[in-house]
Amino acid sequence: MSFLDKAILAISPERGLRRVKARSAAQTVMNFDAASRGRRTRGWKAPGTSADAAGMGSRSRLRNLSRDMIRNRALAVRGRDVITGNVVGTGILPSVRMDNPNDAEAAMDVLRQHLLTAAIDAHGTCDVLGLQRVVMNTVFCDGEVLVRRRMRDPRLDPDLTLPFQIELLEADHLDETLTSHGKNEVIEGIEYGPTGRIEAYHLFPRHPGEIGRLRSLGLKSSRVPAKQMLHIRRVDRPGQMRGVPWLAPIMMTLGEISDYQEAQILKQKIAALLAFFISASSDGKVYDGKPLQDLQPGAIVGLEEGQTVHPSQPPTVDGYQEFMNQAIRTIAMGLGLSYESFGDLRGVNYSSGKMGRLEMDRFVEVWQKQLMIAQFCTGVGNWVLEAWPLVQRLPAAPKEIAWTAPKRPLIDPPKEIKAAAEEIKSGITSRQRKQREMGYDPDVIERERREDAARDQAMPDDTSQSEKDENNERD
């Protein structure tokens, strides 16, 4: 401490202690250049908000901006389609776990009738595989999506195999005007109990942006218990309950790239123009340009004495390709995708293609397991198990419903299949695990192999091997 610090500490201990603490904190901050305040860090924002507080007040605008970008910006659409296409693909398929194979097949018939038809959708449009695609699209665009279970009366809906349907709702349905319900706190439409656990969602019956004759009647939210809801979103920070659009980190970049593209297109249009300017003659007479309206290739146009023609010099367009390549790489990195997934495959071979997919595949696997399967598919599976005992005519309920992600495209099938077989043979992994990694259900494969073996055995003994092979190909 300096002499002044000691003097202040002797006269006013509290004030002196604050001075010493402030000086010590300042010295600590100065050890990190990024934490300093000055010209280089001017404009940097570093609020100490929680995960949900960071998006409070701006979440709605972010959603609207994200939707507009997906409507009008090709790169945003491409990013969404690549993520959904890799995470969901043709669909994450359900399967049952039961001791008796016959019971398992009967239970799978129930799942096929209810989940793999439009009966599962409250709007009667998609099966569960189509709903998965809509869920992933909405999570990417809005950052989150709500899934509501709609219980049905079997007397009114006798065609339903299981007495429930699911309805997908955008986050706009949340009533963000409420602050409490009884003793519970309500934040942005979500009701939290004393322990911080979600107890209910307060939802509008219709989308606030919907049009129609009922729009003028006003909206009044209703309380829906949390057990009737699934809230699908990517969780990046502890305590995070709401999601943000995946385009949020790159929205500024996307907007500026679009502006740059528009400017370059206009520049290209100008560059494609070729005009002629005719200087006035020596007597000051100006050419009115009318004869040039009929100018044809190879035409010879007469000019008055003293007049000369000067062609225009349109601007050239340089550096566009290099700039756009770097911009697309920035967008790809912000979304966790590879640059090649945006369609530029120039100079890509097996090795570079494989290396480019490694990190992207890891992200896709995380989104499949922690987002789609853990949150959406498992939630729907639990609702299936809860509804099963309510229908007496159904076969035995499955012990567990598992979900298998779709088959991943192979870059070089002979090499990759051989490597997978070597892993199984050496004991590094099991056959079932490898089958699931490749997008196949081990139970389905085992059943089909038994059926193939039984079919081969049923063939007459005098059937030649070539005939058997021909029959197998025909089947």
Side-chain angles (χ1 to χ4, degrees), residues 397-410:
K399 297 169 59 176
E400 179 188 357
I401 297 179
W403 299 84
T404 303
K407 176 183 177 181
R408 305 304 309 280
L410 301 179

Side-chain angles (χ1 to χ4, degrees), residues 133 152 162 171 188 216 277 335:
R133 177 180 174 275
R152 304 304 188 193
L162 295 172
E188 294 185 304
S216 59
F277 304 94
L335 295 176

Side-chain angles (χ1 to χ4, degrees), residues 446-463:
E446 183 180 356
R447 186 187 73 247
E448 292 178 348
R449 287 174 66 90
R450 288 199 306 266
E451 293 174 355
D452 290 343
R455 186 178 301 173
D456 292 341
Q457 246 182 349
M459 288 185 179
D461 294 337
D462 57 350
T463 303

Side-chain angles (χ1 to χ4, degrees), residues 389-448:
L390 302 179
V391 183
Q392 296 181 353
R393 67 178 184 275
L394 296 180
K399 297 169 59 176
E400 179 188 357
I401 297 179
W403 299 84
T404 303
K407 176 183 177 181
R408 305 304 309 280
L410 301 179
I411 299 177
D412 191 337
K415 291 183 179 179
E416 297 184 52
I417 292 176
K418 183 178 179 181
E422 290 295 330
E423 290 183 14
I424 297 171
K425 183 177 179 180
S426 61
I428 296 177
T429 185
S430 66
R431 185 174 60 187
Q432 294 186 35
R433 181 185 295 272
K434 184 56 67 174
Q435 288 170 343
R436 290 193 181 279
E437 289 178 359
M438 299 183 71
Y440 300 107
D441 188 338
D443 296 332
V444 174
I445 293 178
E446 183 180 356
R447 186 187 73 247
E448 292 178 348

